[in-house]
Every structure is written in C-alpha cells, then in structure tokens.
Amino acid sequence: MLITQDPHFVTISVWVERTGISRSVTYQLIATDRLRARKVGRRTLIDFAHGLSWLQQQPLAKIAPPFRRAQSSEVA
C-alpha cells in the first residue's frame, strides 16, 4: 500500500510548482517572515505545512462577473 502525504519541507522549486506563487514573491514572503524557511547547505527548504496554512489564511478572491455591453437595437 502506497501512502502519499505532503512532505514536511520542500525546495523553492517545488513550492512554486505546487502553489503557483512565483519565486520572487516566495523570497519576499521569506524575507518578511510570513513564510518559514530553513537553509540546509546551499538549499532553502520551506516548511510546507506552515506555508499552506498561511495560504489558507489569505483573503478569498473577489472577482466580478465580466461586464456585458447592452446590445444595440438600432436598425440601419
């Protein structure tokens, strides 16, 4: 039986791939202590569970439906 679960720590590349958050925003989040990361040698590893928890706390997107133009009833 294969049990898959999220890893405890992930590289920046994996974080970007799994969340869709860009590398530059990821580094900004780490620099401002919103995202926990550890250095192991040259690698930066992100605390994946903490990062997902932070992401869940972000506000929901409020996107309005597309604006539709009223159709013209003019006859040429």
Side-chain angles (χ1 to χ4, degrees), residues 22-37:
S22 72
R23 291 179 69 83
S24 59
V25 170
T26 297
Y27 280 109
Q28 289 173 355
L29 292 170
I30 293 169
T32 57
D33 292 328
R34 293 187 219 153
L35 197 56
R36 289 185 195 159

Side-chain angles (χ1 to χ4, degrees), residues 31-72:
T32 57
D33 292 328
R34 293 187 219 153
L35 197 56
R36 289 185 195 159
R38 302 284 185 254
K39 288 297 280 187
V40 179
R42 296 178 66 198
R43 300 179 90 182
T44 301
L45 299 176
I46 296 174
D47 182 333
F48 194 63
H50 179 265
L52 291 179
S53 175
W54 171 83
L55 195 53
Q56 285 286 340
Q57 294 173 16
Q58 299 311 299
L60 295 174
K62 301 214 188 256
I63 301 172
F67 176 75
R68 292 186 177 194
R69 294 182 184 178
Q71 293 185 356
S72 177

Side-chain angles (χ1 to χ4, degrees), residues 11-24 26 46:
T11 61
I12 299 287
S13 297
V14 171
W15 172 257
V16 167
E17 182 181 310
R18 299 277 303 266
T19 64
I21 297 173
S22 72
R23 291 179 69 83
S24 59
T26 297
I46 296 174

